[in-house]
Amino acid sequence: MEIIETTKGPSPNQEITSGYCFFKGQIMPLAEANVNISTHALNYGTGCFEGIRAYWNAQEGQLYVLKALEHYQRLLLSCRILKINLPYNAEELVERTRLMLAKNDYREDVYIRPFAFKASQVIKVTLTGLRDELAIFSVPMGNYVDTAGLAATVSSWQRISDNMIPSRAKVTGAYINPALANDAATADGYDEAIMLSSDGQVSEASSANLFIVRNGVLVTTPITSDILEGITRRAIMQLADDLGLSYEVRQIDRTELYICDEMFLAGTGAQIAAITSVDRRPVGTGKMGSITKQLQEAYDSAVRGKDERYMEWVTPVYK
């Protein structure tokens, strides 16, 4: 079974040059949405963002935004941590995103990037007394990674502690941490990096939460393991309940990665992506496991508005 209905799309590193975005309170051409090089967020990383997906349902001719309200609720929490004040509530942000997507008239899967940031043009290391701004843009996107089987490695780069840079907020400057880990992993021939926290326990992958399966039980790390409080992570727990699958939230030892039966990434970009080897050791049989496949299929049906049980997950774009 083909897991993703529409997998074609631009490469994740392809430059985004066209379309419409939401910026400075209005929908405008993306090419006109620019900032000055002295902008505070560009120089100091003082911004926060979300990654949201919208899935095309060809049969219905509808584009469904996945868990839009939850993503904007989390964005506003990140803004609170960074002292960014936006003149919108979560529901208003969902509607502005819907209007932007409709203006772009997509007929394919889409990735959406809301970005709230300190927009003042000053040289000062602070969060207070600066102007705040919001931008929302989007790009067609299929699979961000190969969902059928990834080769991972345990990174030498340690996951940042929440007491250093808030790990539960999607802070732009913090993403140099997973960028270093992922770049080192790919340079060594791997697809993904798995990061450990300061106590040597598994935290998460470079930019996705992590699940393993042991003896038929799903296991994922707790929010106190310096992870992002993942929206896809919560969705998988709901799917597991509905599918009658057992799961645990607990610490994971590094060596458990070498002896587990299955492993997968969980995130907006990664979706549900099987990991089939870690540090050149096969995970289970070295192929995607049955529980991962079962969750992939249930997830793909839910996000495209094909399963009535999960219609509250999605927001239709076209009225």
Side-chain angles (χ1 to χ4, degrees):
M1 174 179 179
E2 186 70 28
I3 300 301
I4 300 299
E5 185 173 291
T6 304
T7 58
K8 291 184 178 180
S11 165
N13 61 1
Q14 181 174 323
E15 288 197 16
I16 307 164
T17 58
S18 62
Y20 294 90
C21 66
F22 181 82
F23 187 48
K24 294 186 176 180
Q26 61 182 316
I27 295 174
M28 64 169 64
L30 180 65
E32 298 176 11
N34 301 309
V35 298
N36 191 282
I37 61 171
S38 63
T39 299
H40 198 271
L42 180 61
N43 286 269
Y44 297 109
T46 48
C48 54
F49 69 95
E50 278 295 318
I52 308 173
R53 275 193 182 262
Y55 290 90
W56 176 242
N57 184 318
Q59 184 176 359
E60 296 181 11
Q62 184 60 265
L63 184 66
Y64 287 110
V65 187
L66 178 61
K67 290 186 171 286
L69 186 62
E70 288 183 51
H71 278 286
Y72 280 117
Q73 288 169 339
R74 189 172 66 179
L75 178 69
L76 293 175
L77 293 178
S78 295
C79 287
R80 187 186 303 178
I81 291 172
L82 292 189
K83 296 184 176 180
I84 295 174
N85 295 305
L86 299 182
Y88 312 102
N89 60 34
E91 290 79 7
E92 291 168 335
L93 290 169
V94 171
E95 178 59 13
R96 281 158 177 77
T97 300
R98 189 193 68 78
L99 292 171
M100 179 203 67
L101 294 172
K103 178 71 172 177
N104 280 288
D105 196 28
Y106 291 115
R107 296 292 187 271
E108 57 192 317
D109 294 353
V110 178
Y111 184 85
I112 305 149
R113 170 55 55 85
F115 174 39
F117 60 99
K118 296 294 182 182
S120 295
Q121 296 172 216
V122 297
I123 301 297
K124 186 178 183 182
V125 182
T126 185
L127 295 174
T128 302
L130 303 175
R131 179 170 58 86
D132 301 319
E133 189 58 84
L134 171 71
I136 308 171
F137 65 91
S138 56
V139 60
M141 182 179 291
N143 288 348
Y144 185 73
V145 296
D146 178 7
T147 60
L150 299 169
T153 185
V154 178
S155 181
S156 60
W157 290 96
Q158 180 181 301
R159 174 68 171 149
I160 54 171
S161 167
D162 188 64
N163 201 39
M164 296 177 180
I165 299 176
S167 51
R168 62 172 33 85
K170 290 179 74 71
V171 178
T172 56
Y175 274 72
I176 191 64
N177 178 237
L180 287 164
N182 187 270
D183 189 71
T186 55
D188 288 339
Y190 297 97
D191 301 309
E192 181 57 271
I194 297 172
M195 306 186 74
L196 307 181
S197 54
S198 59
D199 60 3
Q201 298 290 310
V202 173
S203 177
E204 59 182 0
S206 66
S207 54
N209 294 135
L210 186 75
F211 282 79
I212 65 172
V213 178
R214 292 199 64 188
N215 302 316
V217 178
L218 282 163
V219 184
T220 193
T221 50
I223 59 175
T224 51
S225 291
D226 296 326
I227 70 169
L228 178 70
E229 295 185 20
I231 292 170
T232 306
R233 173 179 174 271
R234 290 200 299 268
I236 288 169
M237 293 176 184
Q238 183 178 344
L239 289 174
D241 277 333
D242 294 343
L243 292 168
L245 301 172
S246 299
Y247 66 85
E248 299 175 352
V249 179
R250 62 166 175 82
Q251 288 189 320
I252 296 175
D253 293 327
R254 175 177 181 165
T255 53
E256 282 192 277
L257 302 176
Y258 302 148
I259 64 172
C260 65
D261 304 312
E262 300 181 37
M263 186 185 308
F264 61 87
L265 303 178
T268 298
Q271 304 170 108
I272 299 177
I275 294 176
T276 50
S277 70
V278 177
D279 289 339
R280 310 201 190 283
R281 298 169 172 85
V283 174
T285 64
K287 298 180 179 179
M288 184 194 303
S290 60
I291 290 177
T292 304
K293 184 174 179 62
Q294 187 178 7
L295 286 167
Q296 272 192 351
E297 292 175 353
Y299 184 79
D300 184 60
S301 180
V303 302
R304 296 184 189 280
K306 295 180 178 180
D307 191 327
E308 291 294 329
R309 294 174 296 175
Y310 305 105
M311 290 306 294
E312 75 276 6
W313 286 16
V314 296
T315 301
V317 168
Y318 302 118
K319 299 294 187 179

